[in-house]
Amino acid sequence: MKIAQRIQTIPPYLFVEIDKKKEEAIKRGVDIINLGIGDPDQPTPNNIIEKLRESVTDPKTHNYPPYQGTAKFRQAVALWYKKRFGVSLDADKEVMALIGSKEGIAHIFLAFIDPGDFSLIPDPAYPVYKTGTLFADGFPYIVPLLEKNNFLPDLEEIDEEIAQKAKLMFISYPNNPTGAIANKDFFEKVVKFAKKYDILVCHDFAYSEMTFDGYKASSFLEVDGAKDVGIEFHSLSKTYNMTGWRLGFAVGNKEAISALSIIKTNIDSGVFKAIQEAGIEALTGPQDNIEKMNKIYTGRRDVVINGLNKLGWNLKPTKATFYIWIPTLNGMNSMDFANLLLEKCGVIVTPGIGYGEYGEGYARIALTVDEKRLEEALERLNNLKL
Ligand SMILES: Cc1ncc(COP(=O)(O)O)c(C=O)c1O
């Protein structure tokens, strides 16, 4: 038996060591505080659950769904986009349901990257952009996201020859893992760049609604000309606490949506119709849970940022996402730092290197436990006498 080369090109799973240590600590009875997982700890709102309960008993939801999503789901997406961003979408040609946004993100590379093609991939970033390129036998060209640039890519630093050859680029704001945000000026620059080099822009917008202190994120598609060059990936996972339900969507450029649908029709058979019904309820029903969640995350953010600043960090309050991206202690290697916090404090954070080479020297904290546990984690850090 010989496994494919493409699997061997995937970088080793860097969290194995941490996972092993976590299991050992749990066996020893250590009270672990896990700040490593980007998964909301609060339940899916009741109106969405009730809609699923009702839909699942309707036999009309039991057969194969339409590949691109039901017409009703796509219309709900278009309506939500118009209401939230003022962006008009053709529900037939510019919207497609996904089995969670990760599925669409992973598959878009098969639609645009031929062997040897380049993609422009931010670093640090959600790892699927890079592995998606590798699975399509392409080359990920790393675009660093540096703190001095507020974790935005410096488009002028991208090698001209590579830009000419690149087929696709990924951006994502609000950003995982850095918590950075982007404004429309930046998106305008991206549109100009993409038009100049004829590149598809993929904007991963999974954290669009997780914003604080009155800040509201803009859609990439709000910018003139964006739909000529780009698509946006969306997810119901974080917005409606629906990570396990697997529902997302892609919107924007119709040629790109159509290319993605060709890949998908040959790989999957769409999203269970009852889940899409629940998704319609999420998008068109009461939205107050979003505000409620953002209040919870704001409180947690304040606990962590104030607490860490008292311990000697110098962090500004983040405007979006439930992640805090912190420099390690004294320039420590990110794996050593994560191991130290696990071994000495029973606190799990994600080492920055897991998000790419430019994540080295950082760690990610997820605000997915309550304030009391966060205070306990900070107390343990304090006792470390950093
Ligand atoms: C930046 C980013 N994009 C996409 C996803 C995928 O989300 P889902 O597949 O649940 O829609 C995640 C999940 O953590 C993420 O952090």
Side-chain angles (χ1 to χ4, degrees), residues 41-67:
D41 57 315
Q42 299 295 306
T44 307
N46 243 328
N47 61 313
I48 303 172
I49 296 172
E50 284 310 315
K51 190 67 189 180
L52 176 72
R53 206 195 288 277
E54 183 191 304
S55 307
V56 82
T57 56
D58 177 358
K60 285 208 240 24
T61 66
H62 297 172
N63 56 354
Y64 283 121
Y67 286 110

Side-chain angles (χ1 to χ4, degrees), residues 333-354:
N333 162 306
S334 66
M335 282 300 279
D336 291 347
F337 180 65
N339 278 326
L340 174 82
L341 294 195
L342 174 54
E343 277 167 19
K344 303 276 189 226
C345 310
V347 172
I348 296 180
V349 297
T350 316
I353 189 71

Side-chain angles (χ1 to χ4, degrees), residues 114-324:
D114 283 319
D117 280 348
F118 281 87
S119 66
L120 305 179
I121 299 301
D123 181 330
Y126 185 51
V128 180
Y129 315 146
K130 189 170 175 185
T131 49
T133 306
L134 296 173
F135 278 161
D137 293 327
F139 294 119
Y141 175 85
I142 297 306
V143 182
L145 304 185
L146 305 177
E147 195 162 351
K148 67 171 182 174
N149 298 329
N150 299 318
F151 299 109
L152 295 171
D154 184 347
L155 300 177
E156 280 162 27
E157 282 291 312
I158 294 171
D159 187 285
E160 172 83 26
E161 228 175 279
I162 301 284
Q164 296 283 4
K165 286 197 279 193
K167 301 277 284 292
L168 175 161
M169 80 183 285
F170 252 93
I171 52 171
S172 180
Y173 296 95
N175 186 263
N176 171 19
T178 65
I181 54 173
N183 59 25
K184 281 202 225 170
D185 287 350
F186 168 71
F187 289 150
E188 275 163 15
K189 280 189 203 145
V190 172
V191 169
K192 233 168 138 183
F193 178 86
K195 286 199 168 175
K196 179 171 175 194
Y197 295 109
D198 195 17
I199 291 172
L200 174 75
V201 178
C202 298
H203 182 223
D204 179 354
F205 207 18
Y207 297 89
S208 70
E209 305 312 299
M210 202 185 276
T211 57
F212 320 127
D213 305 336
Y215 168 71
K216 281 245 171 209
S218 298
S219 158
F220 174 70
L221 298 177
E222 284 177 49
V223 166
D224 278 349
K227 223 195 263 180
D228 300 336
V229 294
I231 56 171
E232 203 150 65
F233 287 97
H234 246 285
S235 172
L236 278 80
S237 290
K238 312 291 159 92
T239 305
Y240 301 105
N241 299 340
M242 292 174 75
T243 47
W245 297 57
R246 311 314 302 136
L247 183 59
F249 50 91
V251 293
N253 184 279
K254 58 175 186 289
E255 282 82 26
I257 297 283
S258 159
L260 178 60
S261 84
I262 291 171
I263 299 294
K264 278 176 58 59
T265 48
N266 285 286
I267 291 181
D268 66 67
S269 299
V271 178
F272 180 27
K273 282 194 261 182
I275 300 272
Q276 294 190 55
E277 283 294 320
I280 295 166
E281 173 61 26
L283 293 167
T284 60
Q287 302 291 302
D288 48 319
N289 198 63
I290 296 177
E291 192 59 33
K292 193 173 129 199
M293 288 308 304
N294 286 343
K295 265 208 190 109
I296 292 175
Y297 296 136
T298 308
R300 294 177 183 177
R301 173 203 68 178
D302 291 345
V303 166
V304 169
I305 292 201
N306 294 337
L308 287 176
N309 284 351
K310 272 190 206 139
L311 294 179
W313 268 270
N314 183 20
L315 306 165
K316 287 195 208 89
T318 42
K319 289 267 181 259
T321 79
F322 54 15
Y323 303 119
I324 312 277

